[in-house]
Amino acid sequence: SRLIALLLAAMDLTSTRRTTARDFGALIGTIQWHDLLARPLFSCLHSSYAFVKQEVTEQLRLWDSALEEVLVNLCLFPCWVVDLTRPWCGTVVATDASPAYGFGVSAAHLMPSQVREAAMHAGLEAHVFRLLHEPGDPAERPRCGPVYHLPLKTKDFTTWMSVKARRIEHSGALEAEGVVLGLRRLLRSSRVHRHRALFLVDAQAVQGALQRGRTSAPTLRKVVCKAAALLLAGDMRIRFAYLPSESNPADAPSRGAPLRKRAPKRRTGCRLTSFELHIKTLARACLSWPRADSAASICAHTGSVSTDSL
């Protein structure tokens, strides 16, 4: 019934294009209440807030931009259906940006239960994340707020991306663009779609804007909309945590440092049967020895080679 009432109100606004700031504010409040289930939808609203702030009691012509925001938000109403049992992704992504070079994205893997526990602390206000400190790591500067130590070391992270920036922008915009690159890299795999994940960023302003789903800062607004579009397309929910720069494993890739790749894993496949080993040995013998003139030089049953053809 609420959805039908919202659709009827939007149709009425589309036909009349006139409303009071108070009535339009009531409509936006109802839409916001639904958007709490999918915070990326908050990025659709900007001009609507400016229209509501007008201290005028009589009816006004509704701005085209405000009406478009309402219609876009209502067209995305299927995103209001949320699965509270959505699984957690075991990949932890760290992003960073530097005006000196560009963007860096690193990732590590944890158990989904560990990621879930870390994400619970990320939701707490002013919580600072740290990695396990090792000899040779940069000294940690004191920060305000409680500290949560991830069960990860810097060497556990693999460099996903180290991209040079095309142009120098505001530091906050660069940090947000780094998060967008990390989202694009993560969403390449369809296995992480419809999951929840944890992102580590070292800019608190960017972290807060992405966590809320919107921002009024002109330098961050467009980039936050990009991140919201990616999250809605992949049906993902991301928890953003604050990781200081000296602990961020993506800091070095953002400054153009060589890529740090994980050591190749040993193949742990099933053992070959005796027959498969016999065929493999025979194939190697055929490739290393001269080709026989006679077609009957190699026995089909035992794999032995006739000496007459050598």
Side-chain angles (χ1 to χ4, degrees):
S1 60
R2 292 181 178 177
L3 179 59
I4 295 177
L6 287 175
L7 294 177
L8 292 177
M11 294 172 60
D12 182 66
L13 286 176
T14 305
S15 59
T16 61
R17 296 293 183 97
R18 298 192 65 83
T19 182
T20 62
R22 182 176 180 179
D23 293 342
F24 189 71
L27 175 63
I28 294 299
T30 306
I31 293 177
Q32 281 183 319
W33 185 81
H34 289 83
D35 287 348
L36 290 173
L37 299 173
R39 281 194 168 271
L41 291 176
F42 279 111
S43 62
C44 300
L45 304 175
H46 178 67
S47 298
S48 303
Y49 295 126
F51 185 85
V52 172
K53 290 180 180 179
Q54 298 182 103
E55 299 179 357
V56 182
T57 57
E58 64 268 13
Q59 286 191 347
L60 302 172
R61 177 175 174 80
L62 183 62
W63 303 341
D64 292 340
S65 57
L67 179 60
E68 290 174 359
E69 291 175 356
V70 171
L71 295 179
V72 169
N73 208 313
L74 291 179
C75 288
L76 295 173
F77 75 89
C79 298
W80 292 341
V81 180
V82 178
D83 183 11
L84 299 180
T85 63
R86 187 189 305 266
W88 283 90
C89 174
T91 303
V92 179
V93 182
T95 64
D96 197 8
S98 172
Y101 181 77
F103 310 101
V105 180
S106 300
H109 296 280
L110 285 175
M111 296 294 294
S113 58
Q114 294 175 313
V115 178
R116 180 177 181 271
E117 180 182 357
M120 292 173 58
H121 291 82
L124 301 179
E125 186 177 359
H127 224 89
V128 181
F129 275 55
R130 293 288 188 181
L131 303 180
L132 299 179
H133 195 271
E134 287 188 315
D137 290 346
E140 296 180 352
R141 301 176 183 176
R143 308 282 179 169
C144 297
V147 178
Y148 178 80
H149 288 277
L150 284 170
L152 289 170
K153 302 177 182 178
T154 303
K155 64 180 182 181
D156 296 331
F157 283 81
T158 304
T159 300
W160 273 2
M161 303 178 68
S162 180
V163 183
K164 187 174 179 59
R166 296 181 180 179
R167 59 183 181 273
I168 302 301
E169 298 181 355
H170 186 269
S171 60
L174 288 176
E175 293 285 352
E177 286 287 356
V179 175
V180 172
L181 287 177
L183 287 173
R184 287 178 177 175
R185 175 61 178 82
L186 181 63
L187 290 172
R188 289 180 184 177
S189 175
S190 60
R191 293 179 298 179
V192 303
H193 292 183
R194 296 176 297 277
H195 280 66
R196 289 180 281 186
L198 176 65
F199 265 62
L200 305 175
V201 296
D202 59 2
Q204 290 182 309
V206 176
Q207 177 217 1
L210 293 172
Q211 195 66 54
R212 290 192 302 269
R214 67 169 301 273
T215 178
S216 58
T219 55
L220 299 178
R221 190 184 310 144
K222 292 184 179 180
V223 190
V224 171
C225 289
K226 291 181 184 180
L230 291 172
L231 293 176
L232 293 175
D235 194 14
M236 292 194 67
R237 298 295 181 268
I238 302 294
R239 178 72 72 178
F240 296 93
Y242 172 60
L243 180 70
S245 299
E246 63 271 14
S247 302
N248 195 342
D251 182 72
S254 69
R255 302 179 187 277
L259 299 181
R260 182 176 61 253
K261 297 183 179 180
R262 182 178 299 175
K265 296 182 179 180
R266 294 183 178 180
R267 298 183 62 182
T268 58
C270 300
R271 292 185 177 181
L272 299 178
T273 62
S274 58
F275 177 75
E276 292 172 337
L277 288 173
H278 180 72
I279 295 299
K280 188 175 181 179
T281 305
L282 179 60
R284 290 179 178 177
C286 294
L287 293 176
S288 59
W289 291 350
R291 180 176 296 179
D293 296 334
S294 174
S297 59
I298 299 179
C299 179
H301 299 283
T302 62
S304 60
V305 181
S306 174
T307 56
D308 298 337
S309 61
L310 298 179

